[in-house]
Amino acid sequence: TFMIEDKLADNSPATAAAAGGPTPQAPEQELLLPSDVDKAPKSITKTKKNAYAVLVGIEKYRDLPKVDFAARDAETMKDYLVRSMGFPEENIMLTTNDRATRSDMEAYFETWLKNNVEQDSPVFIFFAGHGSPDPKNGDAYLVPYDGNPSFLQSSAYPLKRLYQSLGKLP
C-alpha cells in the first residue's frame, strides 16, 4: 500500500472562529483541535511478526513552506499500525522533519526494507509532505526535508525508484 498525502489546510483565525473554536493570539501559534482519529483503537489483531513499515512525515522543510500536521500524521499512523493492525513497533521506521532527508529515504526504502523483509511480508509505506512533478517529463517525486523542486533529479526522491525498490522485495 502506498499513500502520498500533501496537506493544504486553512488554519486562519477566521476559519477557527467560524468553526466555533478558539482563535490564536499570534499568527505563528498553531490551533490543534482534538480529533477522534488521533487515537488508534485497540484491536484484537494478532501481531504480524514479519510486517514492516516506513513512515515519513515532513512538516517543517528547510527551504519550503510548512505542511501542517504531516509529522503528527506519521506518528498517528504508527500508533494505528501498532495498536490496530498488529505491526511490531520495532519493525516500523518513523522519520520526521530534518530526519527525512533524501539519503534517509534511500536508506529506509532501499536498504532497510531489503535487509529485513521476508517472503510475503506485509509492507506499508506512508508519506506526508510535499511532492512535485518534473515539468519536463511529468515524473513524480517525493520532496524530502532538504529537497528543492527546482532541482528534483538531484534533491528529491523519484516515485518510480520507490516502486522499483518495493518491486524487488520478496
Side-chain angles (χ1 to χ4, degrees):
T1 304
F2 182 73
M3 172 188 282
I4 297 177
E5 189 172 301
D6 190 358
K7 295 192 166 236
L8 298 174
D10 180 3
N11 290 331
S12 67
T15 301
T23 57
Q25 299 301 316
E28 66 276 353
Q29 191 177 25
E30 287 186 30
L31 175 65
L32 298 177
L33 301 175
S35 171
D36 58 350
V37 298
D38 289 331
K39 183 76 170 154
K42 185 73 172 158
S43 176
I44 57 171
T45 301
K46 287 185 177 182
T47 300
K48 301 171 185 168
K49 295 187 186 297
N50 68 337
Y52 295 88
V54 178
L55 313 175
V56 180
I58 311 169
E59 185 166 327
K60 298 174 185 170
Y61 279 82
R62 184 174 68 190
D63 297 320
L64 294 174
K66 183 177 175 182
V67 178
D68 291 334
F69 312 114
R72 188 175 82 176
D73 287 350
E75 292 164 0
T76 299
M77 182 53 65
K78 179 180 180 182
D79 194 36
Y80 267 87
L81 290 172
V82 172
R83 293 176 49 95
S84 302
M85 298 175 70
F87 279 61
E89 192 164 359
E90 63 273 12
N91 291 3
I92 300 172
M93 297 308 299
L94 170 67
T95 184
T96 60
N97 297 322
D98 64 346
R99 304 294 297 180
T101 64
R102 179 179 167 145
S103 63
D104 291 322
M105 288 182 180
E106 290 169 349
Y108 295 128
F109 293 150
E110 298 172 19
T111 305
W112 183 79
L113 283 173
K114 182 177 73 174
N115 291 342
N116 288 286
V117 170
E118 305 161 19
Q119 186 68 36
D120 298 323
S121 290
V123 174
F124 187 90
I125 305 293
F126 178 89
F127 179 85
H130 287 299
S132 183
D134 185 324
K136 292 180 183 173
N137 60 22
D139 288 349
Y141 287 83
L142 304 178
V143 180
Y145 164 80
D146 57 345
N148 184 331
S150 297
F151 305 102
L152 289 172
Q153 293 177 350
S154 61
S155 72
Y157 191 84
L159 196 54
K160 281 183 182 178
R161 186 170 165 182
L162 174 62
Y163 290 147
Q164 288 169 348
S165 295
L166 293 173
K168 291 177 185 175
L169 297 175

